[in-house]
Amino acid sequence: EDQVTQSPEALRLQEGESSSLNCSYTVSGLRGLFWYRQDPGKGPEFLFTLYSAGEEKEKERLKATLTKKESFLHITAPKPEDSATYLCAVQASGYGNKLVFGAGTILRVKS
Amino acid sequence: SQTIHQWPATLVQPVGSPLSLECTVEGTSNPNLYWYRQAAGRGLQLLFYSVGIGQISSEVPQNLSASRPQDRQFILSSKKLLLSDSGFYLCAWSPGQLREKLFFGSGTQLSVL
């Protein structure tokens, strides 16, 4: 069965302490992998789309990478305002335009 | 620019009462529309999606239904709410093309008591 798994479930960092979040997937015919940021009580906010293995995208302190089986969201020198839940989702053939989401990683950055 | 409106933001309903959540999209035409539910600590579960007026696909058998009476309006309903219907409901839209990201509304926190 197709599956999207995110790890760790929760991550606590000190301000400036770089780390990575993982999203592993087992789908056939990947069309795209999406990263979203979600603040408490809000809807997810789009960050990146990655389409093929080897692709990388950057935005401020965030960098997303993609391999054939997983994606990483690297956070460099995080700040407290980076605290949020980070969700990944995959779009694959057989799912049409629908996205299948992982459970998310809750990130807390302490000053 | 496109915007998505979802209301209400919070809702507390007794078991057995009806439900109606509404979502509208502005600034685009013929979008794909989606209803997701998010349980605490869980990922987003797709409930319904629609590619056009009157066209609804259900992903999970449940106590809920959806309707799309107009091109940019999507409604989530229930005749009788269950405790298990509690959760955070999100409406989303996409341009309808392959490889396009979803844009989410601000969500409705539903508590069934």
Side-chain angles (χ1 to χ4, degrees):
Chain A
E1 181 177 329
D2 292 348
Q3 193 169 332
V4 181
T5 304
Q6 291 188 246
S7 61
E9 292 184 7
L11 181 62
R12 291 177 181 268
L13 299 174
Q14 287 295 125
E15 184 173 3
E17 179 186 2
S18 301
S19 188
S20 297
L21 312 182
N22 177 263
C23 173
S24 63
Y25 59 91
T26 55
V27 299
S28 302
L30 180 74
R31 287 181 174 156
L33 186 140
F34 301 78
W35 282 99
Y36 285 83
R37 170 193 169 125
Q38 185 177 24
D39 293 307
K42 303 289 181 62
E45 175 186 342
F46 171 77
L47 293 173
F48 304 107
T49 307
L50 302 167
Y51 294 114
S52 57
E55 189 175 0
E56 298 182 351
K57 295 245 177 109
E58 286 189 70
K59 179 181 179 181
E60 297 180 352
R61 295 177 293 281
L62 301 177
K63 179 180 178 180
T65 62
L66 180 65
T67 72
K68 288 187 177 181
K69 292 188 176 181
E70 59 190 348
S71 175
F72 291 94
L73 184 64
H74 306 278
I75 303 176
T76 302
K79 298 182 178 182
E81 53 262 42
D82 294 322
S83 298
T85 296
Y86 290 85
L87 300 167
C88 80
V90 298
Q91 188 181 60
S93 58
Y95 284 112
N97 290 341
K98 295 173 285 183
L99 299 190
V100 178
F101 282 83
T105 294
I106 302 172
L107 174 65
R108 292 289 177 260
V109 182
K110 303 183 78 173
S111 58
Chain B
S1 63
Q2 301 90 359
T3 56
I4 179 169
H5 302 279
Q6 185 181 345
W7 67 93
T10 59
L11 190 59
V12 180
Q13 292 284 97
V15 170
S17 64
L19 173 74
S20 180
L21 302 181
E22 189 165 341
C23 171
T24 59
V25 181
E26 296 179 354
T28 187
S29 59
N30 198 31
N32 283 357
L33 297 172
Y34 305 82
W35 279 111
Y36 281 87
R37 178 169 59 199
Q38 186 176 32
R42 303 285 296 275
L44 278 65
Q45 179 188 36
L46 180 61
L47 302 176
F48 301 95
Y49 72 95
S50 171
V51 298
I53 297 174
Q55 301 178 60
I56 308 295
S57 295
S58 174
E59 291 294 302
V60 180
Q62 59 208 318
N63 185 43
L64 303 169
S65 62
S67 62
R68 184 171 177 173
Q70 300 181 42
D71 180 46
R72 291 169 290 175
Q73 183 184 29
F74 206 22
I75 298 172
L76 183 69
S77 303
S78 173
K79 292 182 179 179
K80 289 185 178 181
L81 284 169
L82 305 173
L83 289 174
S84 57
D85 292 324
S86 294
F88 191 53
Y89 289 83
L90 288 157
C91 181
W93 76 274
S94 73
Q97 301 166 16
L98 292 177
R99 297 185 166 188
E100 285 292 343
K101 57 186 175 283
L102 298 183
F103 300 88
F104 286 88
S106 54
T108 295
Q109 183 64 52
L110 173 65
S111 299
V112 183
L113 305 177

